[in-house]
Amino acid sequence: MLVKLSSSALKQTRWYEYGVRFLLGGLATVVTGAVSSRFGVSVGGLFLALPAIFCASATLIESHERRAKEKAGLSGRRRGQQAAALDAAGAGLGSIGLAAFAAVFYVVVSTTAIGAFVAAILVWAAVAVSAWWLRRKLRITSRAARTERIAHSARRRGTVP
């Protein structure tokens, strides 16, 4: 998969979708502030790890994909759900990298702040890409194993020559 920047998504987004993102992002920030006030900044900071606009962007991705399929005369419900699920998986893998970033930054910042940022960013990138690669390899391996089990089962039943 190639990572690229595309401005076409900006044209597809309707004005009220930006409003939804702003509203949900603000709501997440208010809830985080309330949790911080009640339980302290250490606990409140954990809630900042959830990107404030993730909830809104997942629903917008789903609606954009669904709409695109419906324009082509197809039901886009399943496609929209799959696109949102893929985005959520990416966010989860990025969160693993974010945890590595936080750990490295915490350890190195007492020595040098700039060095801590550089080291943490490098570790974040390495961990996030490694997590993506591992997920992809495991998914391919499990798909191949499932296909082999189905073929073996069919051979045992005598349905495949």
Side-chain angles (χ1 to χ4, degrees), residues 9-11 13-23 60:
L10 295 174
K11 297 173 192 168
T13 305
R14 297 182 174 144
W15 69 269
Y16 62 85
E17 292 174 333
Y18 289 110
V20 168
R21 286 181 176 178
F22 180 77
L23 182 68
L60 294 176

Side-chain angles (χ1 to χ4, degrees), residues 17-40:
E17 292 174 333
Y18 289 110
V20 168
R21 286 181 176 178
F22 180 77
L23 182 68
L24 289 177
L27 185 61
T29 303
V30 168
V31 168
T32 300
V35 169
S36 292
S37 293
R38 174 75 171 102
F39 299 104

Side-chain angles (χ1 to χ4, degrees), residues 25-98:
L27 185 61
T29 303
V30 168
V31 168
T32 300
V35 169
S36 292
S37 293
R38 174 75 171 102
F39 299 104
V41 294
S42 296
V43 174
L46 295 174
F47 287 89
L48 290 176
L50 170 70
I53 64 167
F54 173 72
C55 303
S57 65
T59 59
L60 294 176
I61 287 170
E62 187 274 335
S63 68
H64 284 192
E65 289 294 325
R66 183 175 32 82
R67 232 182 292 135
K69 284 292 186 179
E70 287 171 353
K71 277 184 180 178
L74 304 167
S75 172
R77 184 171 179 260
R78 179 85 173 137
R79 171 67 179 233
Q81 290 172 344
Q82 289 174 336
L86 185 60
D87 186 57
L93 295 175
S95 295
I96 294 168
L98 184 60

Side-chain angles (χ1 to χ4, degrees), residues 93-153:
L93 295 175
S95 295
I96 294 168
L98 184 60
F101 176 98
V104 169
F105 187 84
Y106 179 78
V107 170
V108 179
V109 74
S110 61
T111 307
T112 170
I114 293 174
F117 274 114
V118 171
I121 287 170
L122 292 174
V123 167
W124 167 79
V127 169
V129 169
S130 297
W132 173 83
W133 179 84
L134 183 62
R135 178 187 178 273
R136 186 160 190 243
K137 284 294 181 189
L138 290 175
R139 193 178 89 225
I140 290 170
T141 303
S142 68
R143 186 181 307 144
R146 185 173 49 242
T147 303
E148 179 56 36
R149 280 194 309 268
I150 291 169
H152 178 71
S153 176

